[in-house]
Amino acid sequence: MDHQDFNLRKYNTSNIYSFFSDHQDVTKQDLAAGLNLTLPTVSKNIDYLTSLGLIQISGSRGQTGGRRATTYSLCSEARLALGLDITRHHVSCVAVGLNGRIISFRRNWLVFDYSDDYVKAVADLLEQFVNENHIDRDRILGVGIGIPALVKSDHRTVFYSKILSFGEDTYEKFSRHLPYDISLFNDAKASCFAEKWVNKDLRNAFYIMLSNNIGGSMFINGQVYFGNDTRAAEIGHVTLVPNGRQCYCGQCGCVDPYLAATTLSADDLAGYFENLKTTTDEKVLNAWSRYLDYIASTINYVRTLLDCDVILGGYVGAYLEPYMDEIRRRTLAISTFDTDADFIKLCSYQHEAIAAGAALYYISQFKETI
Ligand SMILES: [Zn+2]
């Protein structure tokens, strides 16, 4: 087989595998028609993917009495990836299958401290999680770790970490205690990756992560834009109010101290939004109204500069659905160009987006090897 044949064969296999990622109970005819391939090519690839344990027969389809066609589906747990989300007080663990769905997750209380004991405790939690969910270690592709820090594109080098003090040897520390391949991710970049996974046709978009800190990530022509020094999209440090509230970065008036979830509630965001539905407390309502104005100003800033969709995610994003019309109304009121605000979207991946996004990196890498 010459080089060109090999490439074509790999291309076909990879397309067929991707088709299985997006569809269930697929017949050979579905594949031939959907991908414009001949039936012998489809059959050969189905045999190959079956021999690798990546797809399996799922049943059959057709009229009673007529010839029924065998259907195939992805073996979604043939491999899996683990994800961690590390915050000041919690560590979340998720396991994600080859179809990109979360198989299991667990949130643990563990107070951050940049020590070997802490990293060992994280490793123990992950091992417990693997045991409890009867995950076969041989199938684990790797562990993606989402942290509130900036990370170089090598997924190893932490270079800005003022929220939690991750040091330069973060990768080495975690590698010492976790018996898997590991990769580090900025939390907002990881959650945006999860968002992109479910919205495959996102072209130009800016993701604002409204969590205990504010992060951002942006797509241009479907690709993440990192900037010259992997610091692009850090919307949390755009000046919103000159000489305003103190930001942890050392500056004053950044978006972060106005939009961080902790400005709404220190530790009970669910309780805050539950109360907001019925409260008549003027102080609470006024503070919420100001928060909505700050969101609108931040969105307007992004939209005016980049002319793209703006997605609201993070802890706060999970509660914003009832307020989206109001956010759109307030953004339109200060917009120069827009006449509708459909470009403002709520995130699709509302829970465990950081840990899942970090894990999905491994799933997407695995898919590329097929
Ligand atoms: Zn700042």
Side-chain angles (χ1 to χ4, degrees), residues 160 236-238 247-257:
Y160 184 89
H237 303 292
V238 162
C247 180
Y248 71 85
C249 74
Q251 299 293 350
C252 288
C254 296
V255 164
D256 193 288

Side-chain angles (χ1 to χ4, degrees), residues 18-282:
S18 288
F19 196 88
F20 278 109
S21 305
D22 301 330
H23 304 84
Q24 277 197 335
D25 301 322
V26 175
T27 64
K28 290 181 181 175
Q29 288 74 12
D30 293 338
L31 283 162
L35 298 172
N36 204 12
L37 295 170
T38 64
L39 275 173
T41 301
V42 168
S43 293
K44 220 185 287 173
N45 278 287
I46 285 202
D47 290 346
Y48 174 64
L49 291 170
T50 308
S51 73
L52 294 179
L54 295 175
I55 61 166
Q56 62 193 353
I57 292 175
S58 60
S60 61
R61 198 196 313 148
Q63 289 167 342
T64 324
R67 197 168 160 218
R68 297 176 68 83
T70 306
T71 58
Y72 301 84
S73 284
L74 200 72
C75 297
S76 61
E77 296 186 24
R79 300 282 190 291
L80 41 86
L82 304 177
L84 291 172
D85 172 17
I86 294 183
T87 65
R88 192 179 300 282
H89 295 127
H90 293 94
V91 173
S92 297
C93 309
V94 305
V96 173
L98 289 173
N99 56 7
R101 298 213 183 94
I102 293 180
I103 299 164
S104 42
F105 87 96
R106 180 173 147 175
R107 191 160 185 250
N108 312 274
W109 173 269
L110 185 66
V111 177
F112 177 82
D113 146 40
Y114 189 64
S115 66
D116 260 316
D117 285 349
Y118 171 81
V119 176
K120 171 88 170 51
V122 172
D124 289 346
L125 283 174
L126 192 66
E127 286 308 295
Q128 265 175 37
F129 176 77
V130 168
N131 289 336
E132 276 167 12
N133 292 290
H134 310 290
I135 295 170
D136 176 358
R137 285 176 173 75
D138 291 339
R139 296 184 180 193
I140 297 174
L141 295 166
V143 185
I145 307 174
I147 58 175
L150 296 183
V151 181
K152 291 276 179 201
S153 50
D154 60 4
H155 302 299
R156 293 182 175 205
T157 316
V158 176
F159 69 97
Y160 184 89
S161 183
K162 280 199 174 178
I163 299 169
L164 301 181
S165 50
F166 286 98
E168 280 179 3
D169 59 342
T170 302
Y171 178 82
E172 286 71 23
K173 256 193 165 72
F174 278 92
S175 288
R176 241 190 332 267
H177 294 285
L178 294 171
Y180 311 100
D181 190 62
I182 66 162
S183 295
L184 303 174
F185 298 88
N186 166 257
D187 48 7
K189 304 287 182 293
S191 45
C192 187
F193 193 76
E195 190 66 24
K196 170 81 174 152
W197 186 279
V198 286
N199 290 310
K200 291 209 166 40
D201 40 347
L202 271 187
R203 303 294 306 157
N204 298 323
F206 194 104
Y207 180 90
I208 304 178
M209 186 190 74
L210 301 161
S211 288
N212 287 349
N213 289 102
I214 304 305
S217 182
M218 64 199 275
F219 279 92
I220 297 177
N221 286 326
Q223 301 292 319
V224 181
Y225 176 75
F226 290 103
N228 288 348
D229 291 303
T230 345
R231 296 184 301 212
E234 283 302 311
I235 188 70
H237 303 292
V238 162
T239 308
L240 185 62
V241 179
N243 303 312
R245 293 178 196 164
Q246 178 71 48
C247 180
Y248 71 85
C249 74
Q251 299 293 350
C252 288
C254 296
V255 164
D256 193 288
Y258 291 89
L259 289 187
T262 45
T263 65
L264 299 173
S265 166
D267 54 8
D268 182 17
L269 205 58
Y272 173 86
F273 278 101
E274 197 49 42
N275 177 54
L276 191 62
K277 286 181 193 164
T278 52
T279 189
T280 53
D281 184 334
E282 291 265 312

Side-chain angles (χ1 to χ4, degrees), residues 264-327:
L264 299 173
S265 166
D267 54 8
D268 182 17
L269 205 58
Y272 173 86
F273 278 101
E274 197 49 42
N275 177 54
L276 191 62
K277 286 181 193 164
T278 52
T279 189
T280 53
D281 184 334
E282 291 265 312
K283 234 173 107 185
V284 173
L285 292 170
N286 287 338
W288 175 242
S289 174
R290 282 197 301 278
Y291 187 89
L292 291 174
D293 280 338
Y294 294 140
I295 290 188
S297 296
T298 307
I299 294 171
N300 187 48
Y301 197 101
V302 172
R303 172 72 173 177
T304 309
L305 275 181
L306 298 172
D307 187 27
C308 66
D309 285 350
V310 179
I311 303 164
L312 303 177
Y315 302 160
V316 177
Y319 298 98
L320 284 182
E321 182 140 39
Y323 308 99
M324 287 303 282
D325 285 346
E326 186 58 19
I327 290 171

